[in-house]
Each structure stands twice: as C-alpha cells, then as structure tokens.
Amino acid sequence: MYPLAMKISLLLFAIGILLVILQTTLQRLLPIGPVVPDLILVLCVYWGLNHPTMGAAIGSFLLGYSVDILSSQLIGVNAFAMSLVFVAVYLGSRSIWLHHPLVSSIIVLCAALIKGAGLVLVWVVFLSTEGFWQGALKYIISEALIAALLAPFLFALLARGESYFAKPGPAAQ
Amino acid sequence: MLAFLRKNQIALSSCFCLILSCFILTLSARGQLRNEPVGVVLMWVLRPLQMAAQGTANWFIGIQENYLTLSGFKSENERLRKRIQTLEVERQRLLEAEATNRKLQQLLDFRAQLPGKSLTASIIANSASSWFQGCILDKGSADGVQKDMAVVTPLGVVGKVVSVTAHSAKVILLTDANSGIDVLVQRTRSRGIVSGSLDSGTVLKYVKRSEDVQVGDRLITSGLDGVFPKGLMAGTVIRVNKQNLGLFQFIEVLPAVQSARVEEVLVVGVGAETVPAKN
C-alpha cells in the first residue's frame, strides 16, 4: 500500500521516539553521570547514510524537536543540531561506503562533533556563555566518544530490524 | 521547475528544516513560543510511554536490588531459595511501599509548613540531553500546575516549572546552566545567585570579594525572585576561590537535592512566602 522507503522512514521514526524515551530514563538506570548517550544522533546518522529521503530529513528534525520538548527550555536547539547532522551526513553519504563497523564509529564521531559545533553556535547566539566553554568541550568530546562506541551495535541492530521489516510476507510471496 | 524540486527534494527539505529550526529558536528565545500545538501533542503522546518506561526502569532497579540481596543465599537448597526469593520480592515490595509512605509523609509534613498552595507530583522522565538539566512531572495545568511555580522537596530546592501541558510539566533544575535562584548565605545574609554551569557544576554567582563566605555555609532561598518561598535550602558551599582579578568570588555549591534520586516533589504556588529552614 505504501512504498518501502516510507515504511522504513516510519519505522525509524518510531524507533527514534522509543530511543528518546529511553534517553530520558537512562540516567536513572545507569550510573553514567550527567552525560546522556546520544542514541538519537546515532539513529539520524544511520538514517542519513542508508535512507536519505525527504522523510528522513523531516524525521531527524522532529526527533531533535522531541528532545527539545522533553529537555531544553530553549526549543529548537536539538532540532537545529539534528537537521545540521542530517545535512552533513547526507552530503557526505555520497562519498562514504559503509563496509566496516569502525567506519560507522568514525562517521558518528564526526557527526557528534558537528552536532556539538551546532549546539555551541546556538548557545553563543541565544544563551549565556558564562562558565560555558570548558564544560561544552567536555560534553562534546564525551558525547562524541560514547556515541562512536555505541554506533556499531546500534547500526547492526537497526540493520537487523530493518531486514526483518523489509522481508516480504507470505501473501507477497 | 518541478524536475528541479524533485531532484533536490532532500537537500531542499533539509534546508527547510534548518531554517524552520532557526525560526523556532528565535521565537523560543523571545518567549513567543508558548503552548505550541506540536509540543503539546508530543507531550500528550509521550506521557504514557514515559510513565511505562519509568515503571520498567523502577522494575529493573528492583530486580537488581533483589539480586544483590539474594546473592548471599547461594548455599541454601533450591526449595528454601525459592521460598526466600518469594519472600524477598514481597519484602522488597513492602520496603518500597514503606519507603514511599515515609517519603510521602515527609512531603505532607513539609507541605503543611508551606504557606501557599502546593501539590505533590512524581518525576516521570529526566533530561534527554546532556546540555540541559531538566525533568518532566506527571502533573500539569489540569492539576493546577502553572509556569514559574517552584519545585521543591523537604530537603530543598529542585527547580522551576518552565512549561506546562494539561497533564505534564517541564522543570528546569537548579543545576541547569540557564537557571538562576536568588539565595542568601544563611550565616552572613550575603546575597547571590545559585546557578548551574557546564564548566564547574553548581555555582554561587555575583558574591563580592569582600563578602565573608566559607566552605560549609548553607544557602537558603531569599524569596525575592517571586518563585521560591523564603528559607528553602538550596545548597552548601563546598569551595571558595577569591580570585585575584574581578569583582566577584568563585564559589562552588553542592545542591541540597540530588535530583537524579528524587521521585516525588512538591510544586509550590507563588503565594508561598516563608518556610522555616531546617537545621
């Protein structure tokens, strides 16, 4: 009824919403301190690399927006950062061939750094930068490293889930 | 034209999203983005999922605690172990119920001390971003929660309500870099602003170098910001650095409430004025 690309976009968006909720509960479950693993970032990178569609661009924006709704008092920060990440990954995806888990880690690391730069840009324009720079650097680096570590596992999980989803049902066969 | 749009639809939609997010950011920074429908709907949709996730998280924590408790009984035989396991689960449930009762009783006692209107709420989600410190409450405007209400526990200040939907409310924590609470040093009555910072945790700002502030000094709300009742514990001074340059001291603060461990809070209305500070 719907094209496969749209179905996959909807699936990834639904997974994204679940990951947003997971991110809001991770702090209680794991003794990870103030740094929250950015699962949404990994998802957006996966989306941008494997299924760069219009739905993916809007999906990344909406996932960032939902993080904003749940977390920040300045709405739009994460929506901007995720859109920026999607654009960067989309432009880069034309020349990246993902054939090794290590590559996914490196791409996610770069994407996390781009997201960090985007957040810093927004922060500098709209918020106070008093007592900001060292902490920002700490968060950017630690978030990027955690996201890069998680990337191969999440990429594998997403690919596995997607292959089940894309498998034709008995009726189609 | 249509072919161009079709060919570049991804790049164009990405640019549209970027421009839209900049537009939203500008509106939000100017305070013109209140109760936007997408956010309200999203909060409404996410609330039951968050409550379920929080319930699951609590269940996992319970299981983990049960496992730790039971690890000492390995030498017991299978029947006794099963029996103990059942009893332990029951005990855990009762202990949890007792702890909840105790916490709620403390909240009730504390609530009785507050002069203004207040209501009890549970935290159903924490911040999804490392850059912002916040949480979501399970009560909203339908329950009487309003923007700028204070969020407190018997131990002290938790944060402030920044946005409200019908059945949930977003709270900015004391430890957020964009928060600011007017406080007094209890011993000397020196005034300052307690705020979070990305660099060095929670800090007390704008205290002149000439003021006498020492490690261990307790900070209480001044009541002058019109949000927090006077006399609530905000934190304790853990480091003082009278810098060589500048007008102000650099003071690090340990918040009175470790918000990651809080489950129930009180939301206090603006009518509340003075609370006797506990020693």
Side-chain angles (χ1 to χ4, degrees):
Chain A
M1 192 174 170
Y2 295 104
L4 185 64
M6 191 188 281
K7 281 185 184 174
I8 287 177
S9 286
L10 287 174
L11 172 76
L12 290 175
F13 183 71
I15 291 173
I17 291 292
L18 291 178
L19 291 181
V20 169
I21 293 164
L22 187 63
Q23 271 186 213
T24 62
T25 43
L26 269 179
Q27 263 187 329
R28 281 208 63 214
L29 272 176
L30 307 169
I32 47 175
V35 178
V36 181
D38 202 341
L39 306 173
I40 303 300
L41 173 89
V42 183
L43 178 72
C44 288
V45 173
Y46 178 87
W47 211 345
L49 279 175
N50 296 293
H51 307 284
T53 58
M54 198 166 79
I58 296 167
S60 300
F61 168 81
L62 285 176
L63 287 176
Y65 191 79
S66 53
V67 172
D68 283 326
I69 291 294
L70 292 174
S71 303
S72 74
Q73 64 277 22
L74 183 66
I75 306 293
V77 185
N78 285 288
F80 175 78
M82 287 305 171
S83 299
L84 194 67
V85 165
F86 181 81
V87 171
V89 172
Y90 169 65
L91 294 176
S93 67
R94 296 167 181 190
S95 50
I96 294 169
W97 185 39
L98 194 67
H99 64 286
H100 194 276
L102 189 65
V103 183
S104 66
S105 284
I106 294 168
I107 298 167
V108 168
L109 186 80
C110 295
L113 295 176
I114 291 169
K115 186 199 164 195
L119 286 175
V120 168
L121 179 72
V122 171
W123 203 289
V124 168
V125 174
F126 293 104
L127 298 167
S128 158
T129 53
E130 191 184 348
F132 171 71
W133 295 105
Q134 277 181 11
L137 198 66
K138 184 183 81 181
Y139 279 124
I140 288 173
I141 292 171
S142 46
E143 274 190 358
L145 289 175
I146 293 172
L149 276 176
L150 290 173
F153 302 106
L154 259 179
F155 270 46
L157 274 177
L158 288 168
R160 178 72 60 90
E162 206 185 292
S163 67
Y164 280 124
F165 189 75
K167 216 179 266 180
Q173 286 170 346
Chain B
M1 179 68 180
L2 201 65
F4 172 80
L5 287 177
R6 196 164 287 170
K7 190 183 170 193
N8 298 297
Q9 58 176 341
I10 302 170
L12 289 171
S13 54
S14 302
C15 290
F16 172 74
C17 287
L18 272 174
I19 294 166
L20 182 63
S21 50
C22 288
F23 178 67
I24 292 170
L25 267 169
T26 313
L27 286 183
S28 177
R30 287 181 183 168
Q32 293 169 343
L33 197 72
R34 285 184 189 143
N35 293 328
E36 87 285 20
V38 181
V40 172
V41 170
L42 206 62
M43 288 280 262
W44 182 77
V45 171
L46 291 181
R47 186 175 180 268
L49 295 172
Q50 283 174 326
M51 291 181 85
Q54 202 67 16
T56 314
N58 288 340
W59 184 76
F60 270 114
I61 291 167
I63 292 283
Q64 190 187 14
E65 283 170 3
N66 281 339
Y67 176 77
L68 289 173
T69 313
L70 285 171
S71 62
F73 297 116
K74 276 181 184 169
S75 59
E76 299 282 345
N77 66 44
E78 194 59 33
R79 191 182 63 81
L80 277 177
R81 193 151 56 180
K82 276 184 184 168
R83 178 73 182 140
I84 288 167
Q85 207 163 7
T86 315
L87 287 172
E88 199 56 41
V89 170
E90 182 69 11
R91 178 176 162 266
Q92 192 59 42
R93 194 182 63 78
L94 290 172
L95 280 174
E96 187 57 31
E98 192 191 339
T100 308
N101 271 342
R102 205 165 37 233
K103 275 185 283 185
L104 289 173
Q105 186 59 48
Q106 280 174 349
L107 275 179
L108 277 174
D109 292 345
F110 179 60
R111 189 174 171 176
Q113 292 174 20
L114 294 170
K117 186 187 159 200
S118 61
L119 58 112
T120 315
S122 295
I123 293 176
I124 56 169
N126 297 102
S127 175
S129 165
S130 315
W131 297 62
F132 298 95
Q133 304 292 315
C135 63
I136 307 284
L137 303 182
D138 68 340
K139 298 275 166 64
S141 54
D143 308 287
V145 179
Q146 290 167 13
K147 191 171 178 271
D148 288 335
M149 279 178 120
V151 179
V152 301
T153 71
L155 292 174
V157 174
V158 175
K160 185 177 88 169
V161 176
V162 285
S163 67
V164 187
T165 64
H167 297 291
S168 57
K170 184 158 72 179
V171 176
I172 175 177
L173 298 181
L174 169 75
T175 49
D176 188 278
N178 300 295
S179 73
I181 296 173
D182 200 298
V183 295
L184 295 171
V185 178
Q186 198 173 35
R187 185 175 57 84
T188 61
R189 317 312 281 178
S190 308
R191 273 183 68 192
I193 303 285
V194 168
S195 168
S197 88
L198 289 182
D199 278 359
S200 42
T202 312
V203 290
L204 176 61
K205 294 179 181 172
Y206 313 123
V207 179
K208 287 181 191 167
R209 290 182 61 206
S210 55
E211 300 278 4
D212 173 26
V213 181
Q214 293 171 9
V215 172
D217 274 347
R218 292 151 58 90
L219 307 175
I220 55 166
T221 51
S222 69
L224 294 173
D225 50 18
V227 176
F228 294 93
K230 187 176 180 180
L232 283 171
M233 185 73 177
T236 311
V237 174
I238 52 170
R239 192 174 150 229
V240 181
N241 182 9
K242 292 197 177 187
Q243 299 163 109
N244 293 330
L245 290 170
L247 289 172
F248 306 116
Q249 306 182 37
F250 176 80
I251 300 166
E252 272 184 53
V253 175
L254 179 69
V257 180
Q258 302 298 314
S259 48
R261 293 179 197 157
V262 177
E263 288 164 32
E264 284 91 23
V265 292
L266 276 181
V267 186
V268 185
V270 187
E273 280 163 1
T274 308
V275 178
K278 281 187 178 177
N279 288 318

